[in-house]
């Protein structure tokens, strides 16, 4: 039987938390790769983005019921930076797909999710709002999410290879 708490003897996150983490990472990479392929892949990009939003909401719910393993020994300021980075990541992981979907919806389009179902437009057509959401989605949020992902990866690698505290093993 699986419990919702981390296994303190292993120091690992729960299996559900690890799956949410790595599938979420794959969805981010997939959405980025899809949009880099050009307009022919916008449908795939939107499907991955909508899936990522749903996945992130479920991930946040899981975060409330799954206890994190204890931190390895580190200064309090590093724990604080880690917490702020994770909070920023969660906010950006919500804002990025929401602004993308709003861009489509204000443009008068719903969002098809792999052709399986459609998320209908929940707002009226407003070209100015569509442009604003486009600017936020492709501008500010792209850079904020990118910065936070890089900070997260660099922090994990720093702990793994400089501090040698085996931090990455918590998420394997």
């Amino acid at each position: 039987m699986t419990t919702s708490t981390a296994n303190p003897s292993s120091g690992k996150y729960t299996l559900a938390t690890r799956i949410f983490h790595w599938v979420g990472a794959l969805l981010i990479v997939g959405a980025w790769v899809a949009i880099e392929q050009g307009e022919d892949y916008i449908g795939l990009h939107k499907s991955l983005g909508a899936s990522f939003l749903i996945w992130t909401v479920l991930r946040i719910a899981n975060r409330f019921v799954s206890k994190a393993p204890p931190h390895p020994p580190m200064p309090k300021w590093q724990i604080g930076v880690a917490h702020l980075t994770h909070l920023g990541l969660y906010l950006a992981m919500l804002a990025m797909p929401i602004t993308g979907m709003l861009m489509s919806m204000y443009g008068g389009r719903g969002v098809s999710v792999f052709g399986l179902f459609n998320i209908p437009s929940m707002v009226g057509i407003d070209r100015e709002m569509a442009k604003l959401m486009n600017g936020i989605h492709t501008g500010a949020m792209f850079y904020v999410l990118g910065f936070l992902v890089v900070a997260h990866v660099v922090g994990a690698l720093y702990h793994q290879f400089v501090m040698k505290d085996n931090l990455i093993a918590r998420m394997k």
Side-chain angles (χ1 to χ4, degrees):
M1 180 172 156
T2 306
T3 64
S4 64
T5 58
N7 182 347
S9 63
S10 74
K12 284 185 171 237
Y13 283 94
T14 64
L15 178 60
T17 299
R18 289 180 278 149
I19 290 170
F20 277 116
H21 178 272
W22 291 111
V23 171
L26 289 173
L27 287 168
I28 289 174
V29 170
W32 178 70
V33 168
I35 201 63
E36 290 297 314
Q37 302 310 304
E39 287 298 313
D40 291 344
Y41 292 86
I42 192 73
L44 177 60
H45 174 77
K46 289 179 180 185
S47 292
L48 290 167
S51 299
F52 181 69
L53 177 60
I54 294 164
W55 192 253
T56 299
V57 169
L58 294 172
R59 179 180 181 174
I60 291 169
N62 176 72
R63 182 70 181 93
F64 283 107
V65 298
S66 295
K67 186 177 178 182
H71 290 284
M74 67 178 86
K76 285 186 181 187
W77 70 266
Q78 283 184 1
I79 294 171
V81 168
H83 286 304
L84 284 174
T85 302
H86 286 115
L87 175 62
L89 275 166
Y90 282 118
L91 293 174
M93 290 185 316
L94 291 170
M96 183 62 125
I98 288 171
T99 56
M101 291 191 339
L102 285 173
M103 174 179 42
S104 288
M105 291 175 181
Y106 279 119
R109 298 173 305 279
V111 177
S112 173
V113 181
F114 300 109
L116 299 173
F117 64 94
N118 289 316
I119 301 172
S121 181
M122 295 177 256
V123 297
I125 296 173
D126 184 335
R127 299 288 179 209
E128 290 304 311
M129 283 301 291
K131 286 180 188 174
L132 176 63
M133 291 299 116
N134 180 42
I136 294 170
H137 182 73
T138 63
M141 287 317 310
F142 177 81
Y143 292 106
V144 167
L145 182 59
F147 172 80
L148 291 168
V149 167
V150 168
H152 177 68
V153 170
V154 167
L157 293 173
Y158 170 80
H159 275 274
Q160 188 69 25
F161 297 111
V162 176
M163 299 301 297
K164 298 185 187 307
D165 57 13
N166 206 24
L167 183 84
I168 291 177
R170 295 167 17 127
M171 199 52 79
K172 280 186 182 176

